Amino acid sequence: MSVESGFWHSLAKNKHVLQLQQKGSVAVSQFKTASRQVQIAVAAGAVVVVIALGSLMGGSDGGTSAGSTFEVRRGTFDVIVREGGNIAALQSQQIRSSIRGNQGVKILAIVEEGYRVTPEDVASGKILVELDSSSLEEQKLNQEIAYETAEAQYIERKAQLDIRVNQNVTDLNSATQTMKFARLDFERFLGANVVADLVKTLQIEERLARNTQTEAPVVSGQMETRLEQIAQTRQVRQQGRRPTSTDNGGGAGFDPANADQMPAAFRERMEQMRAQNGGEIPAEILERMQRGGGTPAVVSADAEETALERDPVESLELAALDDVSLPVTPAMLMDADYLAVRATLNFSDFADETQLEDGEAKQFLRTLMENVRVAEENYLQALARLEGQRRLAERDFITPNDLEVEESRLLQAESKLDQTRTEMALYTQYTFPKDAEQQLANYENAIMSFQRTKAEGDSELAQAQARYKSAERRLNLEAEKLADINEQLALTVIRAERPGLVVYGSAEQSGQPFRGGGNQEPIAEGATVRERQPILTIPDMTEMAVRVNIHESSVQRVAEGQKVVVRVDAFPDVRLTGEVTKVAVVADSGNAFMNPDMKVYPTMVKVDGVHDWLRPGMSAEVEILVVSLDDAVYVPLQAVTYIDNKQVVYVEQSGRGVPREVEVGIFSEQFIQIISGVRAGERVMLLPPRQLASSAQR
């Protein structure tokens, strides 16, 4: 391996030099594809450049065999990217015909080509092109008539819709009030919470919420689950019921173990009797209470279920289970699902003071219970007096007539007690369920009336809305047509929007040179232009730029905002400044067919200032300042090499090259920054000594 090849092998390890090698590989590929004459010319030029560099950088002092040397420099160090490009307007306005139609439109007047549009022209709205508008004026007149007709129909439909909406509000208001009053009457009778539980069980509020929807049929499993929930609720209520009155024909009899379920006053009397009789209830009193007469007792669940089996409403509930697959119409309250749940209600379960809230039913029930309590109190007092009179009679302290009077009073108290208990039993078994059913029926009828009113109103409202929407769409359509014609009329006059030079359009500018563009008339007064045909192009001469293509090896260094020096080929002595305003994120594919290995990125450089002599298309060269260091130490790229993976330079000492490790920084096309290792003024070898390179190869 030669000294030169060993040097470039070590230099390839440097990450900065690798980037330059990538750019060099592209140049090599271009060199190989060039003609023989071009290759000879390039090779000869390279030899001349090498000789010139050797003379500029100075020879090796002391006749060193390692080659030429270079004095380490210190000063301003700039990294610059140079590329060539073309001058172009940063912004340009292309004016096309926007008048629709296959026949086109004639140009009545147009500004002369080459006219320079000034900022004053833009401010005053100078007319550049005026197109024929006679046919559009005729279309506008006919469209205005159609719009006025549609507007009159829209106003009529809008009024009809407002009337229907107000009527629906009035009808629904009345139906809602009726339904609300029926609910209040129901709550006044049973209590708000009791009614709320019933409404929840019947799902009345849910049905009202979805009364305008259509649901699928209710499956049997859902109905059975609902009925099971109702049965469980009833069972819980039965277990927590207060004692009710049995009928006059007897009953389950009095059970002393259930005394805790009796009224407080009755329990106190029972405790007094036990205390006076050695802890036991007197046998006579216990016999009378168990014999009948409607003493308080707890109705068993079995007896109640037996009664329910004979109830025709319960039969309806069981029959509903066989028909639960019928489709449900949520718009109406009285459907199969509702009737099945409704049949499970038994208002006799609520005929208890603990089940009711403050209301008419509870108030009346309290009155009946108070009457029973008073009758029981009177009965116990009469019974106690009779017992005392009997003890007095046994000692002859009273006459037999007095004893008969007390016995008569006891019978009267017993009769009164039976009467109040019977009255309470009749209310709880017949009057209360009937009144509760009537209140619920009134509430249901009010709901059904509300739903009918709402359904009828919705139907009428839907028709009114359909008519209104149709009229609205018709009016909007006619308005859009009229606005479109007015917009087309406005487009017949084209005004200046930005300053620049006026250039007439051509078939090539339309982007369709092979689709009949050659048959278009030249732009002039009286010519016919079609839709989307270019009429004028006005580049903005106040903002010029250079469009360049940055090679892929340098594009990572270029960024928006970097300062640029611009030199125009036509004016080589003029130095312009600029700034990078845009760098493409993907490579340009325009030249991929001619040179697929060439990857360049379109970049736009804005030129500072306004220069009247600049014209689009002029050739220019840009120097993009990537980075600039005011005080840096630097050497040529080839002076840096590698020894044992360390970056070194060969410093000339006593006619010999001594390797010294260095730390490098940024680099340009020719030089590289030395951060530490050498000082300004020292001389470094451009190539490593041959003997060191040979020993390194061994």
Side-chain angles (χ1 to χ4, degrees):
M1 181 182 296
S2 64
V3 175
E4 289 78 7
S5 61
F7 167 72
W8 287 112
H9 177 73
S10 61
L11 189 62
K13 298 179 181 179
N14 191 318
K15 61 180 179 180
H16 304 293
V17 178
L18 283 176
Q19 297 174 353
L20 295 177
Q21 286 183 340
Q22 292 175 356
K23 186 173 182 180
S25 63
V26 176
V28 171
S29 63
Q30 294 177 350
F31 175 78
K32 292 179 178 180
T33 56
S35 62
R36 183 64 177 173
Q37 294 79 359
V38 173
Q39 291 178 351
I40 295 174
V42 171
V47 172
V48 173
V49 170
V50 171
I51 296 174
L53 284 175
S55 62
L56 288 175
M57 295 181 180
S60 59
D61 295 342
T64 300
S65 61
S68 300
T69 61
F70 178 84
E71 182 179 348
V72 179
R73 297 179 183 177
R74 187 184 191 96
T76 302
F77 183 59
D78 296 336
V79 178
I80 296 173
V81 174
R82 290 184 176 87
E83 291 289 351
N86 297 319
I87 299 294
L90 194 62
Q91 300 289 339
S92 62
Q93 177 189 11
Q94 188 174 60
I95 299 174
R96 298 174 179 268
S97 174
S98 300
I99 308 302
R100 290 188 294 272
N102 297 327
Q103 302 301 323
V105 60
K106 289 186 177 295
I107 300 177
L108 299 182
I110 187 172
V111 69
E112 64 274 11
E113 189 173 16
Y115 178 82
R116 181 179 289 273
V117 180
T118 64
E120 291 76 13
D121 293 337
V122 176
S124 62
K126 178 180 176 59
I127 298 177
L128 302 181
V129 181
E130 186 176 357
L131 304 176
D132 185 16
S133 61
S134 57
S135 61
L136 291 174
E137 292 288 352
E138 183 179 356
Q139 295 178 22
K140 179 181 178 180
L141 179 60
N142 295 332
Q143 187 58 36
E144 286 177 346
I145 297 174
Y147 175 79
E148 292 173 357
T149 303
E151 185 179 21
Q153 186 179 22
Y154 169 78
I155 294 174
E156 179 184 1
R157 299 301 188 191
K158 181 67 168 58
Q160 293 176 355
L161 177 60
D162 293 340
I163 293 172
R164 183 68 258 174
V165 170
N166 292 333
Q167 185 63 41
N168 282 3
V169 171
T170 302
D171 295 343
L172 283 179
N173 242 3
S174 178
T176 302
Q177 290 293 338
T178 302
M179 183 173 59
K180 181 178 179 180
F181 293 157
R183 173 72 177 265
L184 291 176
D185 290 340
F186 197 17
E187 292 179 350
R188 182 180 63 181
F189 183 74
L190 288 181
N193 291 335
V194 176
V195 172
D197 291 341
L198 290 173
V199 170
K200 184 177 180 180
T201 301
L202 295 171
Q203 297 182 340
I204 292 178
E205 293 181 352
E206 289 82 351
R207 293 170 182 275
L208 286 175
R210 63 174 188 265
N211 63 344
T212 57
Q213 302 176 1
T214 302
E215 294 186 351
V218 177
V219 298
S220 177
Q222 294 176 343
M223 177 63 76
E224 292 176 356
T225 302
R226 181 62 185 157
L227 292 179
E228 288 177 1
Q229 295 174 353
I230 295 172
Q232 293 175 0
T233 303
R234 291 181 56 194
Q235 183 178 1
V236 172
R237 287 179 174 176
Q238 291 167 4
Q239 292 175 353
R241 288 183 59 191
R242 293 286 302 274
T244 57
S245 300
T246 59
D247 55 19
N248 292 332
F254 172 71
D255 185 1
N258 294 329
D260 294 339
Q261 301 179 9
M262 296 181 181
F266 192 83
R267 291 199 306 271
E268 292 177 1
R269 283 294 183 184
M270 296 293 294
E271 293 299 330
Q272 292 176 3
M273 291 180 183
R274 285 194 177 99
Q276 295 174 1
N277 197 36
E280 297 292 339
I281 300 176
E284 184 179 354
I285 296 177
L286 184 59
E287 181 182 357
R288 287 177 179 271
M289 296 177 68
Q290 291 180 341
R291 185 171 62 241
T295 55
V298 177
V299 179
S300 65
D302 294 338
E304 185 175 3
E305 291 300 328
T306 303
L308 289 176
E309 289 177 0
R310 297 191 297 268
D311 192 343
V313 178
E314 293 292 335
S315 301
L316 177 61
E317 173 186 342
L318 297 176
L321 288 174
D322 298 331
D323 199 24
V324 293
S325 60
L326 292 177
V328 177
T329 306
M332 292 293 107
L333 182 66
M334 295 294 187
D335 55 18
D337 188 13
Y338 181 85
L339 290 176
V341 180
R342 176 73 167 80
T344 63
L345 296 180
N346 185 4
F347 284 102
S348 297
D349 298 342
F350 298 93
D352 186 0
E353 184 181 9
T354 60
Q355 298 293 328
L356 297 174
E357 291 183 314
D358 290 338
E360 292 180 351
K362 186 172 183 178
Q363 186 67 20
F364 191 75
L365 186 60
R366 282 175 176 172
T367 301
L368 295 178
M369 292 178 64
E370 181 63 20
N371 293 339
V372 172
R373 187 189 65 79
V374 172
E376 290 175 346
E377 183 72 18
N378 292 336
Y379 173 76
L380 292 175
Q381 290 177 359
L383 185 61
R385 285 195 301 270
L386 178 60
E387 292 297 327
Q389 291 295 333
R390 285 177 177 174
R391 288 193 294 269
L392 292 176
E394 290 176 355
R395 300 178 183 180
D396 295 331
F397 289 140
I398 60 173
T399 64
N401 290 334
D402 294 334
L403 183 60
E404 290 178 358
V405 170
E406 290 300 331
E407 290 178 349
S408 177
R409 290 176 179 174
L410 179 62
L411 292 176
Q412 291 176 1
E414 184 178 7
S415 176
K416 184 64 175 178
L417 178 60
D418 292 342
Q419 180 182 352
T420 55
R421 287 174 174 170
T422 301
E423 184 179 359
M424 183 175 178
L426 291 174
Y427 179 76
T428 57
Q429 294 179 9
Y430 300 105
T431 305
F432 172 78
K434 184 191 73 172
D435 293 344
E437 288 282 354
Q438 184 61 50
Q439 293 291 342
L440 177 58
N442 294 340
Y443 182 44
E444 291 171 339
N445 291 337
I447 293 175
M448 293 290 289
S449 177
F450 169 81
Q451 290 181 320
R452 286 193 300 270
T453 302
K454 188 176 188 305
E456 293 172 357
D458 289 346
S459 176
E460 294 292 338
L461 180 63
Q463 297 179 22
Q465 286 177 336
R467 291 190 292 267
Y468 166 73
K469 290 295 183 182
S470 176
E472 184 182 32
R473 286 193 294 268
R474 176 67 181 274
L475 177 63
N476 292 337
L477 179 61
E478 300 298 342
E480 289 176 1
K481 291 181 179 179
L482 182 59
D484 182 69
I485 294 176
N486 288 329
E487 181 181 357
Q488 290 282 290
L489 281 171
L491 293 175
T492 57
V493 177
I494 302 174
R495 301 180 182 273
E497 297 181 1
R498 62 179 60 188
L501 292 176
V502 174
V503 179
Y504 283 179
S506 61
E508 289 76 11
Q509 289 180 326
S510 66
Q512 298 177 343
F514 303 107
R515 298 186 181 181
N519 296 329
Q520 294 178 352
E521 301 180 45
I523 299 300
E525 292 184 0
T528 300
V529 292
R530 305 185 185 278
E531 183 182 4
R532 304 301 302 165
Q533 180 180 344
I535 301 177
L536 301 177
T537 299
I538 304 178
D540 186 359
M541 306 298 291
T542 61
E543 291 185 339
M544 303 300 287
V546 182
R547 185 181 290 108
V548 297
N549 293 325
I550 304 297
H551 192 270
E552 61 180 339
S553 62
S554 302
V555 71
Q556 72 274 11
R557 298 181 176 186
V558 180
E560 295 181 6
Q562 292 176 341
K563 299 301 181 181
V564 182
V565 175
V566 179
R567 288 185 173 84
V568 182
D569 292 355
F571 300 89
D573 298 332
V574 180
R575 180 177 181 272
L576 303 178
T577 60
E579 181 181 337
V580 177
T581 58
K582 182 181 179 182
V583 180
V585 296
V586 295
D588 184 16
S589 59
N591 298 325
F593 179 76
M594 300 296 297
N595 191 355
D597 295 331
M598 191 72 171
K599 298 293 189 302
V600 293
Y601 292 78
T603 302
M604 188 67 69
V605 176
K606 181 180 179 299
V607 178
D608 296 335
V610 178
H611 309 280
D612 296 338
W613 47 271
L614 282 181
R615 293 290 184 272
M618 287 184 173
S619 298
E621 182 185 43
V622 298
E623 296 179 356
I624 303 174
L625 181 60
V626 176
V627 65
S628 178
L629 301 178
D630 295 333
D631 187 16
V633 177
Y634 57 93
V635 298
L637 282 172
Q638 61 268 32
V640 180
T641 185
Y642 272 84
I643 296 180
D644 296 332
N645 293 327
K646 294 180 180 180
Q647 291 176 319
V648 298
V649 296
Y650 286 90
V651 181
E652 183 185 24
Q653 293 181 359
S654 303
R656 298 181 57 212
V658 178
R660 186 183 300 176
E661 184 179 357
V662 294
E663 181 182 357
V664 300
I666 61 175
F667 64 93
S668 64
E669 294 180 355
Q670 295 179 350
F671 299 97
I672 184 170
Q673 179 191 8
I674 303 297
I675 298 177
S676 63
V678 295
R679 299 184 305 274
E682 293 184 305
R683 302 195 70 84
V684 296
M685 295 183 176
L686 296 180
L687 295 176
R690 295 179 180 273
Q691 62 272 21
L692 294 179
S694 301
S695 62
Q697 292 175 4
R698 292 195 296 269

